[in-house]
Amino acid sequence: MRKWTRTWIMTALFSALLMLPAAADAQDLPQLFAAVKSGVQEGLEEGMDAAAAAMDEELTLSILPESAQIESGKTIRLTVSAGNPRPQAAKVVFSLQLPDRLKAAPDTQWEAVLPPAQPDAVTGELRASTTTFTREITLEPGGSSESAQISAEMSMGTRFYRAKADVRLCVPDIGVTARLDAAPEGRIEPGDCFAYEIEVINSGEAPKDVMLEMTLPEGVALQGEMDGRLRMDGGRMVGQVRAEAAMTDAAGTSPSLQVISLPLRADDGILEGDADARRLIGLALRADGEQVSAPRVEVCGPMISAKLVAQKSELEAGEDTVLSIVVVNAGLAPADMQLVCSLPEGLALKREKEEATPAEAAMLPPQDGDGAAPASAAGTQMLTYDLHIDAAREEGGSITAGTAVIEIPVTALAPQEDLRERLVGAALSWRVGDGGMQLGDAVAMRVYKPGMLGISKDEWSSIFCAAALMIMLAGCLYAAIRSEKHEEDFCCE
Protein backbone atom coordinates (compact mmCIF):
# COMPACT_ATOMS: atom_id res chain seq x y z
CA MET A 1 0.00 0.00 0.00
CA ARG A 2 2.75 2.44 0.92
CA LYS A 3 4.74 1.67 -2.21
CA TRP A 4 1.72 2.23 -4.41
CA THR A 5 0.84 5.60 -2.66
CA ARG A 6 4.42 6.82 -2.91
CA THR A 7 4.36 6.16 -6.65
CA TRP A 8 1.25 8.27 -7.15
CA ILE A 9 2.63 11.15 -5.07
CA MET A 10 5.87 11.25 -7.05
CA THR A 11 3.88 11.22 -10.27
CA ALA A 12 1.75 14.17 -9.14
CA LEU A 13 4.79 16.22 -8.01
CA PHE A 14 6.57 15.56 -11.30
CA SER A 15 3.54 16.76 -13.22
CA ALA A 16 3.39 19.92 -11.11
CA LEU A 17 7.05 20.73 -11.77
CA LEU A 18 6.48 20.37 -15.51
CA MET A 19 3.70 22.89 -15.27
CA LEU A 20 5.74 25.33 -13.14
CA PRO A 21 7.30 27.52 -15.94
CA ALA A 22 3.97 28.18 -17.64
CA ALA A 23 2.26 28.90 -14.35
CA ALA A 24 4.99 31.37 -13.30
CA ASP A 25 4.29 33.49 -16.38
CA ALA A 26 0.54 33.58 -15.89
CA GLN A 27 0.04 33.56 -12.12
CA ASP A 28 1.73 34.52 -8.98
CA LEU A 29 3.76 32.10 -6.94
CA PRO A 30 1.09 31.63 -4.18
CA GLN A 31 -1.45 30.70 -6.74
CA LEU A 32 1.01 28.21 -8.26
CA PHE A 33 1.54 26.49 -4.91
CA ALA A 34 -2.20 26.40 -4.38
CA ALA A 35 -2.65 24.69 -7.74
CA VAL A 36 0.12 22.18 -6.97
CA LYS A 37 -1.40 21.44 -3.58
CA SER A 38 -4.79 20.89 -5.14
CA GLY A 39 -3.37 18.54 -7.82
CA VAL A 40 -1.44 16.52 -5.27
CA GLN A 41 -4.49 16.15 -3.11
CA GLU A 42 -6.60 15.01 -6.03
CA GLY A 43 -3.91 12.47 -7.05
CA LEU A 44 -3.74 11.17 -3.53
CA GLU A 45 -7.48 10.76 -3.39
CA GLU A 46 -7.59 8.97 -6.74
CA GLY A 47 -4.74 6.67 -5.67
CA MET A 48 -6.46 5.89 -2.43
CA ASP A 49 -9.71 5.09 -4.25
CA ALA A 50 -7.89 2.85 -6.77
CA ALA A 51 -6.05 1.02 -3.98
CA ALA A 52 -9.26 0.51 -2.06
CA ALA A 53 -10.97 -0.85 -5.16
CA ALA A 54 -8.07 -3.23 -5.88
CA MET A 55 -8.27 -4.62 -2.37
CA ASP A 56 -11.78 -5.85 -3.13
CA GLU A 57 -10.82 -7.76 -6.32
CA GLU A 58 -10.84 -11.58 -6.15
CA LEU A 59 -8.00 -13.94 -6.87
CA THR A 60 -8.29 -16.17 -9.94
CA LEU A 61 -7.62 -19.94 -10.34
CA SER A 62 -7.52 -22.19 -13.41
CA ILE A 63 -6.25 -25.69 -14.25
CA LEU A 64 -5.26 -26.97 -17.66
CA PRO A 65 -4.28 -30.61 -18.42
CA GLU A 66 -1.68 -31.17 -21.12
CA SER A 67 -4.12 -33.42 -22.98
CA ALA A 68 -7.84 -33.99 -22.89
CA GLN A 69 -7.20 -37.71 -22.38
CA ILE A 70 -4.71 -39.84 -20.50
CA GLU A 71 -3.83 -43.44 -21.33
CA SER A 72 -3.33 -46.26 -18.90
CA GLY A 73 0.14 -46.21 -17.39
CA LYS A 74 0.97 -42.88 -19.06
CA THR A 75 1.75 -39.49 -17.44
CA ILE A 76 0.61 -36.02 -18.49
CA ARG A 77 1.36 -32.57 -17.07
CA LEU A 78 -1.27 -30.57 -15.20
CA THR A 79 -0.80 -26.79 -14.95
CA VAL A 80 -2.41 -24.88 -12.08
CA SER A 81 -2.46 -21.06 -12.60
CA ALA A 82 -3.29 -18.53 -9.85
CA GLY A 83 -3.76 -14.79 -10.49
CA ASN A 84 -3.41 -12.01 -7.88
CA PRO A 85 -4.95 -8.63 -8.92
CA ARG A 86 -4.32 -7.08 -5.50
CA PRO A 87 -1.52 -4.63 -4.76
CA GLN A 88 -0.18 -6.84 -2.00
CA ALA A 89 1.12 -10.43 -1.81
CA ALA A 90 -1.35 -13.19 -0.93
CA LYS A 91 -0.55 -16.34 1.03
CA VAL A 92 -2.66 -19.23 -0.26
CA VAL A 93 -3.06 -23.02 0.12
CA PHE A 94 -3.65 -25.33 -2.89
CA SER A 95 -5.34 -28.73 -2.95
CA LEU A 96 -5.93 -31.13 -5.90
CA GLN A 97 -8.88 -33.55 -5.97
CA LEU A 98 -8.24 -36.48 -8.34
CA PRO A 99 -10.10 -39.72 -9.13
CA ASP A 100 -8.76 -42.77 -7.29
CA ARG A 101 -7.08 -44.08 -10.44
CA LEU A 102 -5.04 -40.89 -10.94
CA LYS A 103 -1.90 -40.27 -8.95
CA ALA A 104 -0.11 -36.90 -8.76
CA ALA A 105 3.53 -36.10 -8.11
CA PRO A 106 5.17 -34.62 -6.17
CA ASP A 107 2.13 -33.80 -3.99
CA THR A 108 -1.52 -32.77 -4.12
CA GLN A 109 -1.41 -30.13 -1.35
CA TRP A 110 1.02 -27.21 -1.06
CA GLU A 111 1.31 -23.61 0.13
CA ALA A 112 2.48 -20.60 -1.83
CA VAL A 113 2.69 -16.78 -1.72
CA LEU A 114 1.29 -15.02 -4.76
CA PRO A 115 3.21 -11.84 -5.73
CA PRO A 116 1.23 -8.53 -5.70
CA ALA A 117 -0.07 -6.88 -8.83
CA GLN A 118 2.29 -4.45 -10.59
CA PRO A 119 1.43 -1.10 -12.29
CA ASP A 120 1.75 -0.90 -16.01
CA ALA A 121 4.83 1.10 -17.08
CA VAL A 122 2.81 3.16 -19.56
CA THR A 123 -0.68 3.48 -18.19
CA GLY A 124 0.10 2.99 -14.55
CA GLU A 125 -2.79 0.55 -14.21
CA LEU A 126 -2.31 -2.47 -11.97
CA ARG A 127 -1.60 -5.73 -13.75
CA ALA A 128 -2.48 -8.91 -11.87
CA SER A 129 0.44 -11.27 -11.20
CA THR A 130 0.19 -14.87 -12.46
CA THR A 131 1.85 -17.81 -10.73
CA THR A 132 1.84 -21.31 -12.27
CA PHE A 133 2.42 -24.71 -10.68
CA THR A 134 2.81 -28.06 -12.51
CA ARG A 135 2.05 -31.56 -11.35
CA GLU A 136 2.60 -34.90 -13.10
CA ILE A 137 -0.52 -37.06 -13.05
CA THR A 138 -0.42 -40.78 -13.95
CA LEU A 139 -3.28 -43.15 -14.76
CA GLU A 140 -2.79 -46.47 -13.03
CA PRO A 141 -3.61 -49.67 -14.98
CA GLY A 142 -6.98 -51.31 -14.50
CA GLY A 143 -10.58 -50.30 -14.69
CA SER A 144 -12.40 -49.21 -17.80
CA SER A 145 -12.43 -46.15 -20.00
CA GLU A 146 -14.50 -43.30 -18.60
CA SER A 147 -14.76 -39.51 -18.27
CA ALA A 148 -13.45 -37.99 -15.05
CA GLN A 149 -13.07 -34.56 -13.50
CA ILE A 150 -10.03 -32.96 -11.92
CA SER A 151 -10.60 -30.09 -9.50
CA ALA A 152 -8.24 -27.70 -7.73
CA GLU A 153 -9.01 -25.62 -4.66
CA MET A 154 -7.20 -22.52 -3.46
CA SER A 155 -7.89 -20.99 -0.06
CA MET A 156 -6.86 -17.60 1.33
CA GLY A 157 -8.08 -17.24 4.85
CA THR A 158 -11.84 -17.72 4.74
CA ARG A 159 -12.03 -17.34 0.98
CA PHE A 160 -12.04 -20.38 -1.32
CA TYR A 161 -11.57 -20.63 -5.07
CA ARG A 162 -12.21 -23.72 -7.21
CA ALA A 163 -11.42 -24.68 -10.81
CA LYS A 164 -12.35 -27.86 -12.72
CA ALA A 165 -11.19 -29.65 -15.87
CA ASP A 166 -12.59 -32.70 -17.66
CA VAL A 167 -10.28 -35.49 -18.77
CA ARG A 168 -10.92 -38.83 -20.45
CA LEU A 169 -9.39 -41.88 -18.77
CA CYS A 170 -8.45 -44.24 -21.61
CA VAL A 171 -7.52 -47.83 -20.82
CA PRO A 172 -7.08 -50.87 -23.08
CA ASP A 173 -9.60 -53.69 -22.96
CA ILE A 174 -7.65 -56.70 -24.17
CA GLY A 175 -9.09 -60.07 -25.03
CA VAL A 176 -6.91 -62.97 -26.24
CA THR A 177 -8.48 -66.08 -27.72
CA ALA A 178 -7.15 -69.15 -29.49
CA ARG A 179 -9.09 -71.20 -32.00
CA LEU A 180 -8.34 -74.24 -34.10
CA ASP A 181 -8.07 -74.12 -37.85
CA ALA A 182 -7.94 -77.08 -40.26
CA ALA A 183 -8.85 -79.58 -37.52
CA PRO A 184 -12.41 -80.84 -38.20
CA GLU A 185 -14.27 -81.70 -34.99
CA GLY A 186 -11.02 -81.11 -33.11
CA ARG A 187 -9.49 -84.39 -34.34
CA ILE A 188 -6.42 -85.09 -36.41
CA GLU A 189 -4.36 -88.12 -37.33
CA PRO A 190 -0.62 -88.61 -36.92
CA GLY A 191 1.19 -86.71 -39.65
CA ASP A 192 -1.69 -84.27 -40.19
CA CYS A 193 -1.22 -80.51 -40.36
CA PHE A 194 -3.37 -78.10 -38.39
CA ALA A 195 -3.12 -74.52 -37.12
CA TYR A 196 -3.89 -72.31 -34.16
CA GLU A 197 -5.20 -68.79 -34.76
CA ILE A 198 -4.29 -66.44 -31.87
CA GLU A 199 -6.53 -63.36 -31.87
CA VAL A 200 -5.68 -60.26 -29.83
CA ILE A 201 -8.71 -57.94 -29.60
CA ASN A 202 -8.61 -54.47 -28.04
CA SER A 203 -12.01 -52.93 -27.28
CA GLY A 204 -10.54 -50.15 -25.14
CA GLU A 205 -9.58 -46.58 -25.94
CA ALA A 206 -5.84 -46.98 -25.37
CA PRO A 207 -3.25 -49.11 -27.20
CA LYS A 208 -1.26 -51.82 -25.47
CA ASP A 209 1.73 -54.07 -26.17
CA VAL A 210 0.61 -57.59 -25.28
CA MET A 211 3.32 -60.12 -24.39
CA LEU A 212 2.52 -63.60 -25.70
CA GLU A 213 4.18 -66.86 -24.65
CA MET A 214 3.37 -70.13 -26.42
CA THR A 215 4.66 -73.65 -25.77
CA LEU A 216 3.95 -76.42 -28.28
CA PRO A 217 2.80 -79.83 -27.03
CA GLU A 218 5.15 -82.78 -27.23
CA GLY A 219 5.14 -84.45 -30.61
CA VAL A 220 4.09 -81.29 -32.48
CA ALA A 221 6.40 -79.10 -34.57
CA LEU A 222 6.07 -75.78 -36.34
CA GLN A 223 5.24 -76.21 -40.01
CA GLY A 224 6.70 -73.45 -42.14
CA GLU A 225 7.92 -70.01 -41.11
CA MET A 226 7.20 -68.43 -37.75
CA ASP A 227 5.35 -65.11 -37.47
CA GLY A 228 7.80 -62.21 -37.57
CA ARG A 229 6.52 -60.86 -34.26
CA LEU A 230 7.60 -64.04 -32.47
CA ARG A 231 10.98 -65.52 -31.63
CA MET A 232 12.15 -68.79 -30.08
CA ASP A 233 13.27 -68.63 -26.48
CA GLY A 234 14.24 -71.93 -24.88
CA GLY A 235 11.57 -74.04 -26.54
CA ARG A 236 8.92 -71.32 -26.23
CA MET A 237 7.70 -68.82 -28.79
CA VAL A 238 7.55 -65.34 -27.29
CA GLY A 239 6.82 -61.91 -28.72
CA GLN A 240 4.96 -58.64 -28.34
CA VAL A 241 1.83 -57.81 -30.29
CA ARG A 242 0.75 -54.19 -30.60
CA ALA A 243 -2.99 -53.93 -29.97
CA GLU A 244 -4.05 -50.52 -31.19
CA ALA A 245 -6.90 -48.61 -29.56
CA ALA A 246 -10.44 -49.19 -30.76
CA MET A 247 -11.78 -46.78 -33.34
CA THR A 248 -14.84 -44.75 -32.39
CA ASP A 249 -17.02 -42.98 -34.93
CA ALA A 250 -20.66 -42.12 -35.51
CA ALA A 251 -21.45 -45.76 -36.21
CA GLY A 252 -20.01 -46.92 -32.91
CA THR A 253 -16.83 -48.48 -31.60
CA SER A 254 -14.80 -50.89 -33.74
CA PRO A 255 -12.29 -52.99 -31.75
CA SER A 256 -8.85 -53.51 -33.21
CA LEU A 257 -7.81 -57.05 -34.15
CA GLN A 258 -4.39 -58.68 -34.46
CA VAL A 259 -4.07 -62.30 -35.61
CA ILE A 260 -1.08 -64.64 -35.24
CA SER A 261 -1.20 -67.92 -37.14
CA LEU A 262 0.71 -70.99 -35.94
CA PRO A 263 0.87 -73.70 -38.65
CA LEU A 264 1.69 -77.00 -36.94
CA ARG A 265 2.17 -80.67 -37.78
CA ALA A 266 1.73 -83.75 -35.61
CA ASP A 267 4.63 -86.20 -35.79
CA ASP A 268 4.01 -89.56 -37.44
CA GLY A 269 4.97 -91.38 -34.25
CA ILE A 270 3.07 -89.16 -31.83
CA LEU A 271 0.86 -92.08 -30.69
CA GLU A 272 3.68 -94.52 -30.01
CA GLY A 273 3.16 -96.02 -26.60
CA ASP A 274 -0.53 -95.07 -26.39
CA ALA A 275 -2.47 -98.27 -25.89
CA ASP A 276 -5.81 -96.74 -26.95
CA ALA A 277 -4.37 -94.90 -29.98
CA ARG A 278 -5.72 -91.58 -28.66
CA ARG A 279 -4.05 -88.52 -27.15
CA LEU A 280 -5.24 -85.05 -26.20
CA ILE A 281 -2.77 -82.27 -26.91
CA GLY A 282 -3.07 -78.53 -26.41
CA LEU A 283 -1.19 -75.28 -26.83
CA ALA A 284 0.08 -73.64 -23.62
CA LEU A 285 -0.69 -69.94 -24.09
CA ARG A 286 -0.04 -66.99 -21.78
CA ALA A 287 -0.84 -63.33 -22.43
CA ASP A 288 0.90 -60.78 -20.20
CA GLY A 289 1.63 -63.61 -17.77
CA GLU A 290 -1.99 -64.76 -17.55
CA GLN A 291 -3.01 -68.24 -18.66
CA VAL A 292 -5.27 -68.27 -21.73
CA SER A 293 -7.42 -71.28 -22.47
CA ALA A 294 -6.70 -72.88 -25.86
CA PRO A 295 -8.80 -75.63 -27.46
CA ARG A 296 -7.25 -79.07 -27.30
CA VAL A 297 -6.76 -81.39 -30.23
CA GLU A 298 -7.43 -85.11 -30.11
CA VAL A 299 -4.90 -87.12 -32.08
CA CYS A 300 -6.53 -90.39 -33.15
CA GLY A 301 -5.02 -93.36 -34.91
CA PRO A 302 -6.31 -96.75 -36.00
CA MET A 303 -6.20 -99.61 -33.50
CA ILE A 304 -6.12 -102.75 -35.63
CA SER A 305 -6.45 -106.40 -34.77
CA ALA A 306 -6.63 -109.13 -37.44
CA LYS A 307 -6.95 -112.86 -37.26
CA LEU A 308 -7.51 -115.84 -39.55
CA VAL A 309 -10.51 -118.07 -38.82
CA ALA A 310 -11.08 -121.53 -40.34
CA GLN A 311 -14.58 -122.77 -40.99
CA LYS A 312 -13.51 -126.35 -40.22
CA SER A 313 -10.63 -127.82 -38.33
CA GLU A 314 -10.68 -131.22 -40.18
CA LEU A 315 -10.98 -131.71 -43.91
CA GLU A 316 -11.21 -134.69 -46.15
CA ALA A 317 -8.97 -134.60 -49.15
CA GLY A 318 -10.79 -132.72 -51.91
CA GLU A 319 -13.22 -131.03 -49.51
CA ASP A 320 -13.90 -127.29 -49.86
CA THR A 321 -13.94 -124.81 -46.99
CA VAL A 322 -13.59 -121.10 -46.31
CA LEU A 323 -10.84 -119.22 -44.47
CA SER A 324 -12.00 -115.84 -43.13
CA ILE A 325 -9.75 -112.88 -42.43
CA VAL A 326 -11.47 -110.83 -39.72
CA VAL A 327 -10.16 -107.26 -39.30
CA VAL A 328 -11.33 -105.03 -36.41
CA ASN A 329 -10.52 -101.32 -36.04
CA ALA A 330 -11.23 -100.00 -32.54
CA GLY A 331 -9.50 -96.67 -33.22
CA LEU A 332 -11.17 -93.41 -34.22
CA ALA A 333 -9.23 -93.10 -37.47
CA PRO A 334 -9.60 -95.12 -40.67
CA ALA A 335 -6.74 -97.18 -42.04
CA ASP A 336 -5.39 -98.47 -45.34
CA MET A 337 -4.01 -101.94 -44.79
CA GLN A 338 -2.12 -104.63 -46.61
CA LEU A 339 -2.95 -108.23 -45.65
CA VAL A 340 -0.89 -111.26 -46.60
CA CYS A 341 -2.29 -114.76 -46.11
CA SER A 342 0.00 -117.75 -46.72
CA LEU A 343 -1.65 -121.02 -47.77
CA PRO A 344 0.58 -124.01 -47.09
CA GLU A 345 1.00 -127.07 -49.24
CA GLY A 346 -2.16 -129.06 -48.82
CA LEU A 347 -4.54 -126.12 -49.34
CA ALA A 348 -5.27 -124.58 -52.71
CA LEU A 349 -7.23 -121.45 -53.60
CA LYS A 350 -10.53 -122.42 -55.14
CA ARG A 351 -11.67 -120.59 -58.29
CA GLU A 352 -15.11 -121.65 -59.43
CA LYS A 353 -15.43 -118.90 -62.07
CA GLU A 354 -13.33 -116.26 -63.71
CA GLU A 355 -14.82 -113.19 -61.99
CA ALA A 356 -13.71 -112.24 -58.51
CA THR A 357 -15.57 -113.41 -55.45
CA PRO A 358 -17.77 -110.85 -53.62
CA ALA A 359 -15.12 -110.46 -50.96
CA GLU A 360 -12.44 -109.83 -53.58
CA ALA A 361 -14.62 -107.42 -55.51
CA ALA A 362 -15.09 -105.25 -52.39
CA MET A 363 -11.36 -104.79 -51.93
CA LEU A 364 -8.85 -102.51 -53.59
CA PRO A 365 -6.92 -104.20 -56.41
CA PRO A 366 -4.10 -106.32 -54.99
CA GLN A 367 -0.72 -106.83 -56.51
CA ASP A 368 -1.72 -109.07 -59.42
CA GLY A 369 -5.03 -107.31 -60.01
CA ASP A 370 -7.41 -110.20 -59.29
CA GLY A 371 -7.34 -110.49 -55.49
CA ALA A 372 -4.52 -112.94 -54.92
CA ALA A 373 -1.21 -114.19 -56.05
CA PRO A 374 -1.32 -117.07 -58.52
CA ALA A 375 -2.11 -120.37 -56.86
CA SER A 376 0.15 -123.39 -57.16
CA ALA A 377 -0.62 -127.04 -56.55
CA ALA A 378 2.64 -127.43 -54.71
CA GLY A 379 4.41 -125.12 -52.35
CA THR A 380 3.19 -122.19 -50.27
CA GLN A 381 0.86 -119.64 -51.87
CA MET A 382 0.96 -115.97 -50.82
CA LEU A 383 -2.33 -114.11 -51.11
CA THR A 384 -2.00 -110.32 -50.87
CA TYR A 385 -4.94 -107.97 -50.31
CA ASP A 386 -5.28 -104.19 -49.95
CA LEU A 387 -8.05 -103.12 -47.61
CA HIS A 388 -9.51 -99.81 -46.43
CA ILE A 389 -11.24 -100.10 -43.07
CA ASP A 390 -13.40 -97.38 -41.56
CA ALA A 391 -12.83 -95.83 -38.16
CA ALA A 392 -14.81 -96.82 -35.11
CA ARG A 393 -18.01 -94.87 -34.44
CA GLU A 394 -18.94 -93.07 -31.25
CA GLU A 395 -22.58 -93.51 -30.39
CA GLY A 396 -24.08 -92.39 -27.09
CA GLY A 397 -20.80 -92.52 -25.22
CA SER A 398 -19.91 -95.99 -26.52
CA ILE A 399 -17.59 -96.95 -29.36
CA THR A 400 -18.58 -99.35 -32.12
CA ALA A 401 -15.54 -100.79 -33.83
CA GLY A 402 -15.22 -100.87 -37.58
CA THR A 403 -15.01 -104.41 -39.02
CA ALA A 404 -14.19 -106.04 -42.34
CA VAL A 405 -14.24 -109.71 -43.35
CA ILE A 406 -12.44 -111.29 -46.29
CA GLU A 407 -13.47 -114.83 -47.23
CA ILE A 408 -10.97 -117.09 -49.00
CA PRO A 409 -12.43 -120.29 -50.52
CA VAL A 410 -9.89 -123.15 -50.44
CA THR A 411 -9.77 -126.83 -51.32
CA ALA A 412 -7.96 -129.49 -49.30
CA LEU A 413 -5.43 -131.49 -51.30
CA ALA A 414 -4.88 -135.18 -50.64
CA PRO A 415 -1.79 -136.15 -48.63
CA GLN A 416 1.02 -138.01 -50.27
CA GLU A 417 0.55 -141.72 -51.06
CA ASP A 418 2.24 -142.97 -47.95
CA LEU A 419 0.39 -140.57 -45.63
CA ARG A 420 -3.18 -140.97 -44.49
CA GLU A 421 -3.42 -137.50 -42.98
CA ARG A 422 -1.51 -134.22 -42.77
CA LEU A 423 -1.59 -131.20 -40.43
CA VAL A 424 -1.55 -127.92 -42.38
CA GLY A 425 -1.45 -124.34 -41.10
CA ALA A 426 -2.36 -121.03 -42.69
CA ALA A 427 -0.71 -117.80 -41.45
CA LEU A 428 -1.70 -114.13 -41.62
CA SER A 429 0.44 -110.98 -41.52
CA TRP A 430 -0.63 -107.36 -41.95
CA ARG A 431 0.52 -103.79 -41.77
CA VAL A 432 -1.07 -100.35 -41.65
CA GLY A 433 0.10 -97.81 -44.20
CA ASP A 434 3.88 -97.83 -44.46
CA GLY A 435 4.36 -99.41 -41.03
CA GLY A 436 6.07 -102.69 -40.31
CA MET A 437 4.50 -106.09 -40.80
CA GLN A 438 2.70 -107.67 -37.83
CA LEU A 439 1.74 -111.30 -37.40
CA GLY A 440 -1.86 -112.30 -36.90
CA ASP A 441 -3.32 -115.51 -35.50
CA ALA A 442 -2.57 -118.66 -37.49
CA VAL A 443 -4.93 -121.63 -37.94
CA ALA A 444 -4.17 -125.35 -38.20
CA MET A 445 -6.31 -127.98 -39.97
CA ARG A 446 -6.08 -131.74 -40.39
CA VAL A 447 -6.40 -133.03 -43.93
CA TYR A 448 -7.02 -136.76 -44.20
CA LYS A 449 -7.90 -139.32 -46.83
CA PRO A 450 -11.54 -140.50 -46.64
CA GLY A 451 -12.16 -144.10 -45.38
CA MET A 452 -13.63 -146.40 -42.70
CA LEU A 453 -12.08 -147.81 -39.57
CA GLY A 454 -8.96 -145.86 -40.27
CA ILE A 455 -8.71 -147.37 -43.79
CA SER A 456 -8.98 -145.03 -46.74
CA LYS A 457 -11.21 -145.54 -49.74
CA ASP A 458 -8.30 -146.60 -51.96
CA GLU A 459 -7.20 -149.14 -49.39
CA TRP A 460 -10.76 -150.40 -49.07
CA SER A 461 -10.87 -150.72 -52.87
CA SER A 462 -7.64 -152.72 -52.89
CA ILE A 463 -8.88 -154.94 -50.13
CA PHE A 464 -12.14 -155.48 -51.97
CA CYS A 465 -10.36 -156.31 -55.20
CA ALA A 466 -7.99 -158.70 -53.41
CA ALA A 467 -10.92 -160.38 -51.63
CA ALA A 468 -12.83 -160.72 -54.88
CA LEU A 469 -9.84 -162.31 -56.57
CA MET A 470 -9.39 -164.72 -53.69
CA ILE A 471 -13.06 -165.64 -53.84
CA MET A 472 -12.85 -166.14 -57.58
CA LEU A 473 -9.69 -168.24 -57.18
CA ALA A 474 -11.30 -170.34 -54.46
CA GLY A 475 -14.34 -170.81 -56.66
CA CYS A 476 -12.22 -171.91 -59.57
CA LEU A 477 -10.28 -174.37 -57.40
CA TYR A 478 -13.50 -175.72 -55.94
CA ALA A 479 -14.99 -176.12 -59.40
CA ALA A 480 -11.86 -177.91 -60.61
CA ILE A 481 -11.83 -180.28 -57.65
CA ARG A 482 -15.52 -181.07 -58.07
CA SER A 483 -15.06 -181.76 -61.76
CA GLU A 484 -12.13 -184.15 -61.12
CA LYS A 485 -14.04 -186.03 -58.44
CA HIS A 486 -17.02 -186.41 -60.72
CA GLU A 487 -14.88 -187.96 -63.41
CA GLU A 488 -13.40 -190.50 -60.96
CA ASP A 489 -16.83 -191.55 -59.83
CA PHE A 490 -17.93 -192.03 -63.41
CA CYS A 491 -14.94 -194.24 -64.23
CA CYS A 492 -15.58 -196.49 -61.26
CA GLU A 493 -19.10 -197.16 -62.33
Side-chain angles (χ1 to χ4, degrees), residues 301-485:
M303 190 164 61
I304 303 295
S305 61
K307 64 179 180 178
L308 194 62
V309 179
Q311 196 176 56
K312 293 182 178 181
S313 60
E314 294 186 355
L315 297 172
E316 291 184 1
E319 185 178 358
D320 296 333
T321 190
V322 174
L323 295 178
S324 298
I325 301 176
V326 181
V327 183
V328 177
N329 182 10
L332 296 177
D336 291 321
M337 302 179 58
Q338 186 179 70
L339 302 159
V340 178
C341 179
S342 60
L343 295 181
E345 184 179 356
L347 292 178
L349 183 65
K350 180 182 178 181
R351 294 285 183 84
E352 295 181 353
K353 45 190 175 180
E354 293 299 327
E355 60 269 15
T357 64
E360 293 173 331
M363 298 186 303
L364 298 175
Q367 290 179 355
D368 63 349
D370 61 356
S376 174
T380 301
Q381 306 169 65
M382 305 298 293
L383 310 180
T384 303
Y385 299 90
D386 291 331
L387 174 68
H388 176 82
I389 184 167
D390 293 332
R393 303 186 307 276
E394 285 186 307
E395 299 176 349
S398 62
I399 295 179
T400 302
T403 58
V405 178
I406 301 173
E407 293 184 347
I408 307 174
V410 295
T411 301
L413 302 178
Q416 296 177 359
E417 293 296 333
D418 55 346
L419 295 177
R420 294 184 178 180
E421 65 179 22
R422 182 194 322 193
L423 187 65
V424 296
L428 175 68
S429 59
W430 53 275
R431 67 181 174 190
V432 177
D434 297 329
M437 276 289 185
Q438 304 184 50
L439 294 179
D441 296 337
V443 295
M445 293 172 288
R446 186 175 70 90
V447 179
Y448 59 90
K449 295 179 180 179
M452 294 178 60
L453 302 176
I455 302 175
S456 66
K457 291 182 180 180
D458 294 340
E459 291 175 340
W460 275 115
S461 297
S462 300
I463 293 173
F464 177 78
C465 292
L469 290 174
M470 291 180 64
I471 292 172
M472 292 177 61
L473 180 59
C476 292
L477 290 174
Y478 178 76
I481 293 173
R482 290 282 297 174
S483 175
E484 183 178 351
K485 184 176 180 182

Side-chain angles (χ1 to χ4, degrees), residues 253-268:
T253 301
S254 301
S256 67
L257 174 63
Q258 297 293 324
V259 179
I260 291 181
S261 180
L262 289 181
L264 306 174
R265 182 183 182 276
D267 295 342
D268 294 331

Side-chain angles (χ1 to χ4, degrees), residues 43-123:
L44 290 175
E45 290 177 356
E46 290 178 1
M48 293 295 292
D49 292 340
M55 291 296 293
D56 292 333
E57 291 191 25
E58 297 291 347
L59 306 181
T60 60
L61 178 66
S62 66
I63 56 175
L64 180 64
E66 181 181 9
S67 173
Q69 65 181 28
I70 179 172
E71 297 177 0
S72 178
K74 297 296 183 64
T75 299
I76 64 173
R77 178 173 297 177
L78 180 68
T79 301
V80 179
S81 299
N84 181 13
R86 301 186 176 191
Q88 64 179 10
K91 184 177 181 180
V92 293
V93 177
F94 292 92
S95 176
L96 286 178
Q97 283 78 43
L98 302 174
D100 293 339
R101 297 160 58 190
L102 285 177
K103 301 301 177 183
D107 49 27
T108 57
Q109 292 185 347
W110 68 97
E111 296 181 353
V113 176
L114 304 181
Q118 299 294 327
D120 186 86
V122 178
T123 64

Side-chain angles (χ1 to χ4, degrees), residues 3-4 7 84-89 114-121 123-130:
K3 183 178 180 181
W4 185 86
T7 302
N84 181 13
R86 301 186 176 191
Q88 64 179 10
L114 304 181
Q118 299 294 327
D120 186 86
T123 64
E125 295 181 357
L126 287 178
R127 298 293 184 185
S129 66
T130 302

Side-chain angles (χ1 to χ4, degrees), residues 143-189:
S144 59
S145 300
E146 61 179 339
S147 295
Q149 194 174 72
I150 300 174
S151 62
E153 288 186 355
M154 181 178 65
S155 62
M156 183 184 66
T158 58
R159 296 195 178 192
F160 288 88
Y161 305 88
R162 175 174 292 179
K164 298 179 180 179
D166 293 327
V167 66
R168 184 70 179 173
L169 308 183
C170 300
V171 299
D173 184 7
I174 302 297
V176 179
T177 60
R179 63 180 181 87
L180 274 175
D181 188 25
E185 300 180 356
R187 285 181 179 168
I188 61 172
E189 298 179 25

Side-chain angles (χ1 to χ4, degrees), residues 1-24:
M1 176 64 182
R2 291 179 180 176
K3 183 178 180 181
W4 185 86
T5 304
R6 188 183 303 113
T7 302
W8 276 101
I9 293 172
M10 294 300 295
T11 302
L13 290 175
F14 182 73
S15 300
L17 290 176
L18 291 177
M19 297 171 60
L20 184 58

